[in-house]
Amino acid sequence: MSVEPFNKLVKLAARAFYDDITTKGDNQPKTGRSDNRGIAVVVLDALTRRQWVREEDLAKDLKLHSKQLRRTLRFFEEEKLVTRDHRKETAKGAKIYSAAVAATADGQPFGKEGEEKIKLHTHSYCCLDYAQIYDVIRYRIHRMKKKLKDELDNRNTIQEYICPKCDKRYNALDALRLVSEEDGNFRCESCNGELRAESDKFAAQEGGDGDDNARKRRREKLKSMLQNMETQLKPLMSQLDRVKDLAVPEFGTLQAWEARASAAGRAVNGDSSSNDPSKSSQVGYGGTPMPFLGDTKLYCDWVLNQAIFGLRLSNKAGLLSNAIMVEVAFAGAEGKEVDVKSDAATSLKVLPPWMIKQGMNLTKEQRGEVEQESKMDGSSATGGLSDDKKSTVEDDKKSLQARAMR
Amino acid sequence: MFFHIVLERNMQLHPRHFGRNLREHLVTKLMKDVEGTCSGRHGFVVAITGVDSIGKGLIRDGTGFVTFPVKYQCVVFRPFKGEILEAVVTMVNKMGFFAEAGPVQIFVSNHLIPDDMEFQSGDMPNYTTSDGSVKIQKDSEVRLKIIGTRVDATEIFCIGTIKDDFLGVINDPTTL
């Protein structure tokens, strides 16, 4: 399933049709500052590098206000380029998405336990609908061509007639009562002058005189317009041809995609022996995970935001620019193999009480060890650990650490 | 397009028809009055296929005429914009040609005739292609598309085009 030709199609179409689209309401004054033309292109380009993406994350990546992004996305939804999904979700739902994202990123699920929220939030997700985009673009081009061609052949227009003597106008619907008995020609009802055909409305506006010239001029204008369109849309049309017989990349609905992505991630994870931390780190800007299509190159979207052409950073360079605090990667299902790259700030984070789950299979002995060790570390998070029931996720982490040390 | 619909009409009957054949007289008069008329709303009434009900008659003061409300089924024909029709050419002139599809008159102006057909005046005015293979003259049968209708209270007039795929002469009288 190759996405690249389709992405090229989207990019070409974005530049051809959505270059000067402004999503501002009409009531707002048009100042230089609020002029957001070109934003459509930026958003579409960013979407070609993602699959399903949470709109907040996208907004953050593009350094856009989420409202502004939403407006643009709604526009694209109406244009049938983008499918969107809205759902109320708990932290758990968000986790499924994060896991799926991580899976597409590098085939490794990771836990971001500290970021969970208990409240329900409505999150919106969006994704390009390649199959529909292909149809939409084709239909649009077809309509444009048809409209120009119809006008060029004067198709489906009602002929108008004019009396050269008294300038009275008729149209073809009056034809029946205009026909004269003697010669079968059309004659004016009031002055009986012979009517002349008015070729088209454009000519009519310019006055009766020289309507042949006007008609010719109009035809030439239409013809050049059609030609211009052909030449300007040529790259787009050739891309459409190229894409015609390819399998369309299909991401399915958000749920299906998540399920598939995380399943794929698990499959990759199951047999992977390489667990080096540099590879497992896939946290994007501000800890936001980003899914990538195939390659793991990070694109700097904020650079894109200023100049449409992106700056490409390698994965590692991207990593350097991001301050990644902790990365815990569970290799197997049992979570025996652990890679901890700990930073004081995160490991010391006090977990709220709701994070503490019951029924964690930690022995008393282990707990004791944890307590000791945390005392050695001088961690401030150990204050509550005297309580036996308070076995937190962090406990778990530390116990594992302890086991590794042993 | 043809429709089979139920219509209603108040019939006035002269007192001389009162008697055993009142009903027959009423139906005959209905057919005479209604068939072939045109209303802007329903189109041309082609034929009455049955009388559903005849209501109670009401004698009008002063005249002695009786008004019966009559419900009847009929076939109507109403042309629509975009509809494809087959029609017979009735008149050709340099502005275009007129054709008839049943009761409907259709005018096809010369800019809606394909560009390769030229007007030939003479005894039998016609539109002919340069190679003479296709000819539109009186009594030719053409398939055309309606692109505009003018609907008055009592008449319908259409303009059509033959400048599209699969439109044009379908039967030439000279080759018959």
Side-chain angles (χ1 to χ4, degrees), chain A residues 153-159 161 172-177 179 184-186 194-195, chain B residues 91 93-95 98 105 107 109-112 147-150 157 159 161 163-164:
Chain A
D153 319 341
N154 283 328
R155 211 178 274 182
N156 299 350
T157 51
I158 292 172
Q159 175 86 59
Y161 300 96
L173 289 165
D174 303 316
L176 201 56
R177 58 169 206 266
V179 186
N185 285 334
F186 288 176
E194 196 173 322
L195 298 184
Chain B
M91 186 174 72
N93 66 21
K94 66 171 185 189
M95 294 300 192
F98 288 88
Q105 293 254 25
F107 174 63
S109 74
N110 56 8
H111 80 292
L112 295 171
I147 58 163
T149 56
R150 177 202 198 93
F157 181 69
I159 54 174
T161 176
K163 210 183 200 178
D164 214 336

Side-chain angles (χ1 to χ4, degrees), chain A residues 91-370:
Chain A
K92 198 183 161 207
K95 230 164 82 181
I96 296 173
Y97 170 73
S98 303
V101 163
T104 38
D106 206 23
Q108 300 220 358
F110 65 93
K112 291 192 302 160
E113 318 281 359
E115 290 189 6
E116 293 190 13
K117 290 179 193 99
I118 196 78
K119 270 170 119 184
L120 275 172
H121 284 292
T122 308
H123 287 291
S124 301
Y125 296 81
C126 60
C127 182
L128 290 177
D129 187 342
Y130 287 98
Q132 194 147 263
I133 287 171
Y134 173 63
D135 289 339
V136 164
I137 295 171
R138 267 194 327 162
Y139 183 63
R140 192 175 179 131
I141 290 175
H142 170 77
R143 291 290 304 186
M144 287 164 78
K145 263 192 209 159
K146 188 172 155 53
K147 196 167 178 191
L148 282 178
K149 273 198 183 135
D150 275 2
E151 217 152 312
L152 207 56
D153 319 341
N154 283 328
R155 211 178 274 182
N156 299 350
T157 51
I158 292 172
Q159 175 86 59
E160 290 201 347
Y161 300 96
I162 189 164
C163 174
K165 276 194 210 158
C166 59
D167 278 350
K168 196 165 180 187
R169 285 170 182 282
Y170 302 93
N171 66 28
L173 289 165
D174 303 316
L176 201 56
R177 58 169 206 266
L178 298 176
V179 186
S180 75
E181 303 287 311
E182 311 112 57
D183 53 358
N185 285 334
F186 288 176
R187 291 201 169 272
C188 178
E189 282 177 319
S190 42
C191 66
N192 207 32
E194 196 173 322
L195 298 184
R196 210 177 51 199
E198 190 87 287
S199 52
D200 54 23
K201 291 194 176 93
F202 208 72
Q205 279 164 12
E206 290 185 10
D209 201 48
D211 63 336
D212 273 354
N213 261 334
R215 189 181 179 182
K216 215 181 275 171
R217 252 179 285 144
R218 171 123 176 103
R219 278 184 73 86
E220 265 160 28
K221 204 176 149 194
L222 283 169
K223 227 174 238 170
S224 72
M225 217 147 120
L226 199 65
Q227 258 169 5
N228 278 348
M229 197 186 92
E230 294 275 354
T231 49
Q232 283 169 14
L233 291 184
K234 201 157 193 193
L236 187 61
M237 288 193 245
S238 59
Q239 189 64 24
L240 274 175
D241 277 344
R242 219 166 298 150
V243 150
K244 193 168 69 184
D245 298 320
L246 297 177
V248 182
E250 195 68 67
F251 302 130
T253 61
L254 180 58
Q255 281 78 15
W257 175 80
E258 274 177 355
R260 206 148 28 83
S262 42
R266 243 175 278 130
V268 171
N269 203 24
D271 62 352
S272 80
S273 51
S274 67
N275 226 356
D276 67 77
S278 72
K279 228 189 152 189
S280 67
S281 317
Q282 280 299 328
V283 183
Y285 293 95
T288 325
M290 287 191 288
F292 297 100
L293 306 173
D295 62 346
T296 51
K297 276 165 187 145
L298 270 172
Y299 288 76
C300 263
D301 284 312
W302 59 274
V303 176
L304 257 176
N305 208 355
Q306 285 145 15
I308 287 172
F309 302 103
L311 179 70
R312 192 177 283 197
L313 290 177
S314 79
N315 193 2
K316 282 193 180 163
L319 275 176
L320 286 173
S321 69
N322 295 321
I324 295 160
M325 300 288 138
V326 177
E327 198 57 53
V328 185
F330 293 94
E334 302 92 55
K336 286 261 155 73
E337 236 180 276
V338 181
D339 245 341
V340 180
K341 200 171 68 174
S342 73
D343 186 81
T346 332
S347 65
L348 290 182
K349 196 172 173 185
V350 184
L351 286 165
W354 52 265
M355 286 288 289
I356 299 158
K357 288 173 206 147
Q358 282 199 330
M360 299 195 85
N361 51 352
L362 294 176
T363 59
K364 278 247 163 104
E365 183 198 19
Q366 274 180 319
R367 280 195 186 132
E369 272 183 13
V370 169

